PDB file of all heavy atoms in Angstrom:
ATOM      1  N   SER J 183      18.946  39.600 -50.949  1.00 93.00           N
ATOM      2  CA  SER J 183      20.142  39.945 -50.192  1.00 93.00           C
ATOM      3  C   SER J 183      21.421  39.462 -50.891  1.00 93.00           C
ATOM      4  O   SER J 183      22.508  39.645 -50.368  1.00 93.00           O
ATOM      5  CB  SER J 183      20.093  39.387 -48.756  1.00 93.00           C
ATOM      6  OG  SER J 183      20.986  40.119 -47.946  1.00 93.00           O
ATOM      7  N   GLY J 244      32.309  40.171 -47.748  1.00 96.00           N
ATOM      8  CA  GLY J 244      31.539  41.102 -46.943  1.00 96.00           C
ATOM      9  C   GLY J 244      31.806  40.904 -45.462  1.00 96.00           C
ATOM     10  O   GLY J 244      32.035  41.860 -44.710  1.00 96.00           O
ATOM     11  N   ALA J 245      31.785  39.642 -45.029  1.00 96.00           N
ATOM     12  CA  ALA J 245      31.977  39.360 -43.606  1.00 96.00           C
ATOM     13  C   ALA J 245      33.347  39.861 -43.135  1.00 96.00           C
ATOM     14  O   ALA J 245      33.473  40.387 -42.027  1.00 96.00           O
ATOM     15  CB  ALA J 245      31.831  37.866 -43.347  1.00 96.00           C
ATOM     16  N   ASP J 349      26.140  48.152 -42.911  1.00 96.00           N
ATOM     17  CA  ASP J 349      26.360  46.982 -43.748  1.00 96.00           C
ATOM     18  C   ASP J 349      25.871  47.359 -45.152  1.00 96.00           C
ATOM     19  O   ASP J 349      24.677  47.440 -45.404  1.00 96.00           O
ATOM     20  CB  ASP J 349      25.560  45.806 -43.175  1.00 96.00           C
ATOM     21  CG  ASP J 349      25.747  44.530 -43.981  1.00 96.00           C
ATOM     22  OD1 ASP J 349      25.955  44.624 -45.196  1.00 96.00           O
ATOM     23  OD2 ASP J 349      25.672  43.442 -43.383  1.00 96.00           O
ATOM     24  N   ASN J 352      24.431  45.297 -49.827  1.00 93.00           N
ATOM     25  CA  ASN J 352      23.440  45.457 -50.893  1.00 93.00           C
ATOM     26  C   ASN J 352      23.229  46.938 -51.176  1.00 93.00           C
ATOM     27  O   ASN J 352      22.357  47.564 -50.609  1.00 93.00           O
ATOM     28  CB  ASN J 352      22.111  44.817 -50.483  1.00 93.00           C
ATOM     29  CG  ASN J 352      22.292  43.411 -49.939  1.00 93.00           C
ATOM     30  OD1 ASN J 352      22.003  43.148 -48.785  1.00 93.00           O
ATOM     31  ND2 ASN J 352      22.791  42.516 -50.759  1.00 93.00           N
ATOM     32  N   ASN J 373      29.914  44.983 -50.893  1.00 97.00           N
ATOM     33  CA  ASN J 373      30.222  43.691 -51.500  1.00 97.00           C
ATOM     34  C   ASN J 373      30.396  43.915 -53.000  1.00 97.00           C
ATOM     35  O   ASN J 373      29.412  44.080 -53.721  1.00 97.00           O
ATOM     36  CB  ASN J 373      29.091  42.691 -51.241  1.00 97.00           C
ATOM     37  CG  ASN J 373      29.234  41.980 -49.915  1.00 97.00           C
ATOM     38  OD1 ASN J 373      29.819  42.532 -48.977  1.00 97.00           O
ATOM     39  ND2 ASN J 373      28.729  40.776 -49.823  1.00 97.00           N
ATOM     40  N   HIS J 375      31.222  41.785 -55.081  1.00 96.00           N
ATOM     41  CA  HIS J 375      30.665  40.644 -55.816  1.00 96.00           C
ATOM     42  C   HIS J 375      29.143  40.700 -55.878  1.00 96.00           C
ATOM     43  O   HIS J 375      28.548  39.938 -56.616  1.00 96.00           O
ATOM     44  CB  HIS J 375      31.156  39.309 -55.241  1.00 96.00           C
ATOM     45  CG  HIS J 375      31.100  39.223 -53.754  1.00 96.00           C
ATOM     46  ND1 HIS J 375      31.918  39.971 -52.943  1.00 96.00           N
ATOM     47  CD2 HIS J 375      30.328  38.477 -52.924  1.00 96.00           C
ATOM     48  CE1 HIS J 375      31.651  39.676 -51.677  1.00 96.00           C
ATOM     49  NE2 HIS J 375      30.688  38.782 -51.636  1.00 96.00           N
ATOM     50  N   LYS J 376      28.504  41.562 -55.125  1.00 96.00           N
ATOM     51  CA  LYS J 376      27.059  41.715 -55.284  1.00 96.00           C
ATOM     52  C   LYS J 376      26.778  42.942 -56.151  1.00 96.00           C
ATOM     53  O   LYS J 376      26.523  42.840 -57.338  1.00 96.00           O
ATOM     54  CB  LYS J 376      26.383  41.850 -53.918  1.00 96.00           C
ATOM     55  CG  LYS J 376      26.432  40.559 -53.116  1.00 96.00           C
ATOM     56  CD  LYS J 376      25.777  40.690 -51.748  1.00 96.00           C
ATOM     57  CE  LYS J 376      25.898  39.386 -50.972  1.00 96.00           C
ATOM     58  NZ  LYS J 376      25.544  39.559 -49.555  1.00 96.00           N
TER      59      LYS J 376
HETATM   60  C1  LIG W1892      25.898  38.976 -48.329  1.00 61.41           C
HETATM   61  C2  LIG W1892      25.785  39.795 -47.143  1.00 61.41           C
HETATM   62  C3  LIG W1892      26.821  39.835 -46.188  1.00 61.41           C
HETATM   63  C4  LIG W1892      28.032  38.924 -46.212  1.00 61.41           C
HETATM   64  O1  LIG W1892      28.817  39.011 -47.359  1.00 61.41           O
HETATM   65  P1  LIG W1892      29.818  37.810 -47.727  1.00 61.41           P
HETATM   66  O2  LIG W1892      30.600  38.317 -48.899  1.00 61.41           O
HETATM   67  O3  LIG W1892      28.965  36.628 -48.056  1.00 61.41           O
HETATM   68  O4  LIG W1892      30.694  37.546 -46.543  1.00 61.41           O
HETATM   69  C5  LIG W1892      26.664  40.697 -45.123  1.00 61.41           C
HETATM   70  N1  LIG W1892      25.566  41.468 -44.990  1.00 61.41           N
HETATM   71  C6  LIG W1892      24.542  41.443 -45.887  1.00 61.41           C
HETATM   72  C7  LIG W1892      23.360  42.349 -45.686  1.00 61.41           C
HETATM   73  C8  LIG W1892      24.616  40.606 -46.995  1.00 61.41           C
HETATM   74  O5  LIG W1892      23.603  40.568 -47.865  1.00 61.41           O
END
Side-chain angles (χ1 to χ4, degrees):
S183 201
D349 181 329
N352 311 117
N373 274 28
H375 46 292
K376 291 179 182 168

